[in-house]
Each structure stands twice: as structure tokens, then as C-alpha cells.
Amino acid sequence: WALAKLPRAARGEAPVEELSQAALEVADEFTPQELANVVWALPQLSAKDQHLVQKLALVARHKVQRFTPQGLGMIALGFSSLGIYSETLFSAISQAAQAQARDCNAQDAAQILTAFAKLKIQDDALLEALCGSLGGGAGPTTTDWEQQGGECVTSLLWALGTMRSTEQARPLLRPLLERLAVLAPSLRMRHVVLALSGLAKVHAVAEEFKVGKLLRRVARTTAKRVPELVDRLDAQDLGLAAWALAVLGTPGRGP
């Protein structure tokens, strides 16, 4: 986990294979938090030890009811980033997240829903539980959106759009868009692409939910970031940004 937190340039010749082998030998002994840390770190370190991944998935399945909401988000996002889908594991994660929905904050929900969206898992019960909690329906307090950063806001918007959530997302769209309007001028490159993609995915229901004008304003503000970033985008992100701008009808401002 600590190694994955370091900037790539600072990792040097990281002993990823050695760490993977050591983790494999003690996987059964990991606490839920230790397990969550390892699973989250694997894609960050580009670790590709399939034996370790399969072992961790098995251990996580048996311990899933002991994870906190943060831990559930970390293992869900870690496995999805590795492209690992296990129906029994993600069903168990869903059930555990629903049971703890009242304790999930926006970051936890964003990680969990992003993981399910990445793997194209349509789970309406999970969506209802987490969206209801964030919107104040099931949770003890309403989410303080002013405290949420670019990672949380853009990934949650993208996940809601990807999972085609309609009624579940209704109470969240306006606060998400209002927060994104504030964050857009300073978003990181990856978050700009994620924001544009998310906006494109939810734009079809914007008018119905009476946030069409707000969405168009946010899209224009976010699109203005594209020209300054275009030289640093890889082919995949360029394609995503171009698609999103075409769907939104919002061209990036040229030089």
C-alpha cells in the first residue's frame, strides 16, 4: 500500500514480485484492512500475479462481512481495476455494502459503484441503497458535497451514467453538477476526461430531472480545459473526450 502511494518516479526498481510472493504466503492471515490495502495496491503497481489475485479474491469472499465501507470500496475497485470478476465475490460485496449503506460516505459509494460500473454489473438494489444514503434518504445526514474532491465527484457521476441509473440518481445529479462546476477549472487531466464522459452519459435524463441548463453550463466549463490538456492525453482518452464532446454538442475551445 505504501509503495503504491508513492509517485511512479519515486518507486525505482520496486520489488513487486517479491512482495506478491510474500503476500501469497500470508494471505489467509490478513485482517480485512490489510487485505483491502493489498488488493487496492495491486493495480497501482501493475502486479500481475494471478495466483495471488485468485487467492485474495477467495479470502476476501470469506471475510467480506467484516469489511468497513471503506474496505469494501477498496477491494471492489482493486479487483475491478485488475479486470477480475467473480459473481460470488461481487454479490457478497453488494450485500455487505447495502447492509452498511447508512455508514457509506461519498468516497466509499463512488469507489463501490465505479467498480460495478467498470465490470458492467447492473445492481439496482445496490444503486438504490447507496444513492438513497448519499441523498439523505437512508443515511443519518445529508452528504456535504462542498467537501468532495474531483476524484469522488467525477467517478461517481461516471458510475451513475454508466450504470444507467435514472430514478436512483435523481437526488444526486444537481449537487454533483453544482460541485463539478466549482471543481472543473482545477480538475486533473484524468478527471477532466472522466467528467466529460460522465456528463455525456447522464445528459439524456438532464432535462427530465430539470438540470439540463446546469449540465450544459458545467459541460462548457469542463470542455474549456481540453485544449490545454490535449497534447498529454493518450489515444484512449482522446477518443473518450472527442466522443463526449460530440454527444454534449460542446466543442473544446481552440487556441
Side-chain angles (χ1 to χ4, degrees), residues 195-224:
L196 288 172
S197 180
L199 290 167
K201 288 173 180 286
V202 302
H203 91 287
V205 298
E207 295 297 340
E208 177 187 351
F209 292 172
K210 303 185 186 304
V211 292
K213 183 177 180 180
L214 173 59
L215 183 144
R216 290 189 292 274
R217 176 167 62 85
V218 176
R220 287 194 298 270
T221 302
T222 308
K224 291 178 180 178

Side-chain angles (χ1 to χ4, degrees), residues 50-129:
Q50 291 303 309
H51 293 296
L52 174 61
V53 172
Q54 292 171 9
K55 178 64 174 180
L56 293 176
L58 179 63
V59 175
R61 168 65 185 87
H62 290 294
K63 295 185 177 183
V64 72
Q65 297 301 325
R66 296 168 52 194
F67 281 88
T68 63
Q70 181 187 39
L72 291 172
M74 291 174 72
I75 62 168
L77 195 59
F79 282 122
S80 69
S81 297
L82 291 166
I84 301 299
Y85 171 65
S86 162
E87 183 177 356
T88 55
L89 173 60
F90 276 86
S91 176
I93 290 173
S94 173
Q95 292 173 18
Q98 290 177 56
Q100 299 186 64
R102 289 176 60 87
D103 298 319
C104 284
N105 60 32
Q107 185 64 43
D108 301 331
Q111 289 189 326
I112 294 169
L113 293 179
T114 295
F116 277 67
K118 280 185 175 182
L119 296 174
K120 303 187 186 306
I121 305 171
Q122 190 65 35
D123 190 327
D124 291 337
L126 177 65
L127 273 166
E128 184 174 356

Side-chain angles (χ1 to χ4, degrees), residues 77-193:
L77 195 59
F79 282 122
S80 69
S81 297
L82 291 166
I84 301 299
Y85 171 65
S86 162
E87 183 177 356
T88 55
L89 173 60
F90 276 86
S91 176
I93 290 173
S94 173
Q95 292 173 18
Q98 290 177 56
Q100 299 186 64
R102 289 176 60 87
D103 298 319
C104 284
N105 60 32
Q107 185 64 43
D108 301 331
Q111 289 189 326
I112 294 169
L113 293 179
T114 295
F116 277 67
K118 280 185 175 182
L119 296 174
K120 303 187 186 306
I121 305 171
Q122 190 65 35
D123 190 327
D124 291 337
L126 177 65
L127 273 166
E128 184 174 356
L130 295 183
C131 289
S133 178
L134 296 184
T141 58
T142 301
T143 300
D144 184 357
W145 292 105
E146 292 185 1
Q147 299 301 313
Q148 308 309 319
E151 176 75 29
C152 174
V153 171
T154 58
S155 60
L156 183 55
L157 182 66
W158 179 86
L160 293 176
T162 301
M163 296 180 77
R164 300 177 183 273
S165 58
T166 52
E167 286 305 313
Q168 297 99 327
R170 184 186 289 267
L172 301 184
L173 273 187
R174 183 172 293 279
L176 276 173
L177 292 173
E178 289 176 344
R179 181 57 180 157
L180 183 55
V182 174
L183 294 171
S186 59
L187 286 175
R188 295 180 179 179
M189 178 176 65
R190 183 171 66 87
H191 297 153
V192 169
V193 176

